[in-house]
Amino acid sequence: MKVFVIGGGGREHAIVEVLHRSAQVSEIFCAPGNAGIGDIATCVPIKDTETEKLLQFAQQQQVDLTVVGPEAALAAGVVDCFRAAGLAIFGHTQAATRIESSKEFAKELMQKYGIPTASYRSFDCYEDALAYVAERPFPAVLKYDGLAAGKGVVIAQDLEEATEALKEMLLDTTFGKGRVVVEDFLTGPEFSFMCFVDGRNVYPMPLAQDHKRAFDGDRGPNTGGMGAYTSLPFITPEDWQFAYEQIMCRVAVAMCDEGRPLSGVVYGGLMKTPDGIKVIEFNARFGDPETEVVLPLLQSDAYNIFSSIALGKKIDNPILWSQEITLGVVLATKGYPGSYEKGFPLENVEQAGTRLFHMGTARRDGRLVTNGGRVLMVVATADTHQAARDKAYAAAAQIDSDHLFYRKDIGHYII
Ligand code: AMP
Ligand code: GLY
């Protein structure tokens, strides 16, 4: 089978890698891909939102299955476009992607279907929003209603910060004219629950925890994620059951009832609060960097899973996962998530005993160079978190990293 993967980060490298392991897959294309993906797939220089060009390419190559990584491609309607042309594609329609692309839609849905989440109100008027925030306790959680590349959430500690954020979200044109959701501030450990989903059928993947802040001790600005690990000791079997049934299965049913059936991956960004597990956000795709620690544990045939979901066929055999633990460390360009340069040479990247996922790399004149904020992720597998962490850091230390930095405390919450 010929497979086409859309995207070019660490998440897509992990997707390409599991597909590459499938005996059914003979050839993989990836648009736009990256240097690491290029070692096992043919990279195609098409952007993930160039829907028509992607379709043309898939038709020319007669690919059997397309798998979509990034939310931007889903929100641009790539799935609708491929399906209209009769091609098999793994990912949600534009209508279903709303669960991620609109915070307000997601909050309304959760309220209507009794899915636990922070209570909220939404505003399009700056004065009303400010008045509401001013009379409530701080910190205030302010969420821009739309895709904002991870920058749409502000936890304001006082009125001054809230005023500034609301101005930016409702008066300025930073994100475009929109709405803001103001919600209760919740506390507790966060974790990521990803499931394959096809209508009402929900197939869980191992849980993972992401590290969103740039620096050790969970300090510094929010990033796309600086590291992750699987196997979360603070989640009891009862917690898991609750999250699976009351959140992940329930959202699948809710989206069917709304006429927006899910088909692809649903990602629950969940928090274990003192009042139980609640939803912080839903995403309509694989998480990054969670995917790089979760998919290496997949023992079942990835092609079967992706193609069954794409075709709306029930998966009969249970999806099998290794019981081992994975832990991964992201190496990012100094300056990320602020401004940074690209094109720095990378040496000694492959280290024995670990997996390496490329997040933002390219080849220039045959040399491997940095090509993004998050550059590489080293993922180690072991029987314990400590052993996985030791292996991952031993490998990370070998990578020539004058222009890179990484957190030294991935897994600190439990180790
Ligand atoms: P989101 O983009 O919705 O995942 O929000 C980004 C981050 O902001 C989350 O990972 C949380 O750490 C934090 N956050 C979002 N909503 C809340 C909330 N209601 N209470 C506390 N923290 C929150
Ligand atoms: N790691 C968080 C996300 O993919 O949204």
Side-chain angles (χ1 to χ4, degrees):
M1 297 293 179
K2 282 186 178 185
V3 186
F4 185 27
V5 175
I6 297 175
R11 162 181 57 204
E12 287 76 21
H13 194 178
I15 293 170
V16 167
E17 203 261 335
V18 279
L19 285 164
H20 180 68
R21 277 200 262 138
S22 166
Q24 296 183 70
V25 174
S26 55
E27 194 169 10
I28 308 176
F29 300 98
C30 186
N34 62 37
I37 291 173
D39 290 340
I40 47 175
T42 305
C43 294
V44 189
I46 307 175
K47 274 197 241 147
D48 59 17
T49 48
E50 291 179 315
T51 307
E52 284 301 324
K53 282 193 192 165
L54 293 167
L55 175 64
Q56 252 175 26
F57 177 83
Q59 286 173 325
Q60 270 163 14
Q61 292 294 334
Q62 298 185 308
V63 302
D64 298 288
L65 171 70
T66 300
V67 178
V68 187
E71 62 274 30
L74 299 169
V78 70
V79 170
D80 309 69
C81 171
F82 273 56
R83 294 216 176 127
L87 296 194
I89 185 164
F90 175 95
H92 305 287
T93 59
Q94 212 170 25
T97 302
R98 236 173 123 65
I99 188 112
E100 171 166 6
S101 56
S102 167
K103 300 269 184 202
E104 188 175 19
F105 171 82
K107 293 300 283 191
E108 272 172 8
L109 185 87
M110 287 188 263
Q111 196 168 53
K112 179 167 169 189
Y113 291 89
I115 298 170
T117 189
S119 39
Y120 77 103
R121 275 189 58 188
S122 68
F123 298 90
D124 56 10
C125 167
Y126 167 75
E127 284 79 18
D128 292 351
L130 190 62
Y132 178 71
V133 168
E135 68 189 26
R136 288 165 37 86
F138 283 92
V141 181
L142 313 173
K143 299 188 173 183
Y144 179 75
D145 186 37
L147 288 176
K151 301 197 176 87
V153 177
V154 172
I155 315 275
Q157 299 300 332
D158 53 38
L159 192 58
E160 194 182 337
E161 271 184 47
T163 309
E164 195 183 321
L166 287 173
K167 263 191 195 148
E168 196 169 83
M169 291 174 179
L170 290 173
L171 295 181
D172 300 349
T173 50
T174 318
F175 304 121
K177 182 101 185 93
R179 295 174 64 82
V180 167
V181 170
V182 180
E183 67 178 42
D184 289 350
F185 179 76
L186 304 177
T187 55
E190 287 179 64
F191 61 102
S192 309
F193 196 165
M194 301 191 287
C195 298
F196 292 107
V197 55
D198 159 37
R200 290 164 200 268
N201 301 314
V202 180
Y203 310 95
M205 300 185 219
L207 302 180
Q209 193 178 43
D210 176 12
H211 294 56
K212 287 202 161 115
R213 301 296 200 96
F215 309 130
D216 287 11
D218 294 320
R219 279 194 286 268
N222 255 320
T223 70
M226 294 298 292
Y229 62 92
T230 59
S231 188
L232 311 182
F234 58 90
I235 298 299
T236 65
E238 294 73 35
D239 289 336
W240 188 92
Q241 210 62 35
F242 179 86
Y244 177 65
E245 286 167 9
Q246 303 302 321
I247 296 177
M248 305 310 291
C249 292
R250 205 176 264 200
V251 74
V253 170
M255 289 296 276
C256 286
D257 290 355
E258 293 293 309
R260 301 168 186 266
L262 294 167
S263 145
V265 171
V266 60
Y267 166 126
L270 311 183
M271 188 185 268
K272 182 171 174 172
T273 79
D275 303 324
I277 295 176
K278 297 193 181 184
V279 178
I280 294 291
E281 64 167 348
F282 282 119
N283 291 326
R285 51 168 175 87
F286 281 107
D288 194 351
E290 291 91 334
T291 304
E292 293 92 309
V293 292
V294 167
L295 283 188
L297 298 175
L298 180 64
Q299 291 176 327
S300 302
D301 184 298
Y303 184 83
N304 273 348
I305 299 171
F306 289 123
S307 69
S308 299
I309 301 264
L311 300 171
K313 280 200 315 211
K314 199 158 191 301
I315 300 173
D316 291 324
N317 297 322
I319 298 177
L320 300 178
W321 301 93
S322 160
Q323 295 306 306
E324 284 179 305
I325 288 169
T326 47
L327 183 145
V329 178
V330 172
L331 286 79
T333 308
K334 285 178 185 165
Y336 173 79
S339 60
Y340 56 84
E341 286 175 48
K342 296 181 185 178
F344 298 119
L346 291 163
E347 313 278 349
N348 297 323
V349 296
E350 291 294 343
Q351 297 299 323
T354 54
R355 274 196 175 79
L356 183 75
F357 293 110
H358 289 231
M359 304 182 91
T361 62
R363 266 189 215 288
R364 298 265 142 69
D365 307 322
R367 284 186 89 183
L368 185 65
V369 297
T370 66
N371 193 39
R374 292 189 295 174
V375 176
L376 295 167
M377 184 168 182
V378 180
V379 175
T381 306
D383 292 332
T384 65
H385 289 98
Q386 184 67 57
R389 173 148 101 167
D390 292 346
K391 268 195 198 169
Y393 278 117
Q398 299 301 312
I399 297 176
D400 187 5
S401 63
D402 266 4
H403 299 278
L404 302 180
F405 76 98
Y406 54 90
R407 278 182 62 160
K408 306 288 191 296
D409 64 345
I410 300 305
H412 73 90
Y413 192 79
I414 53 149
I415 296 179

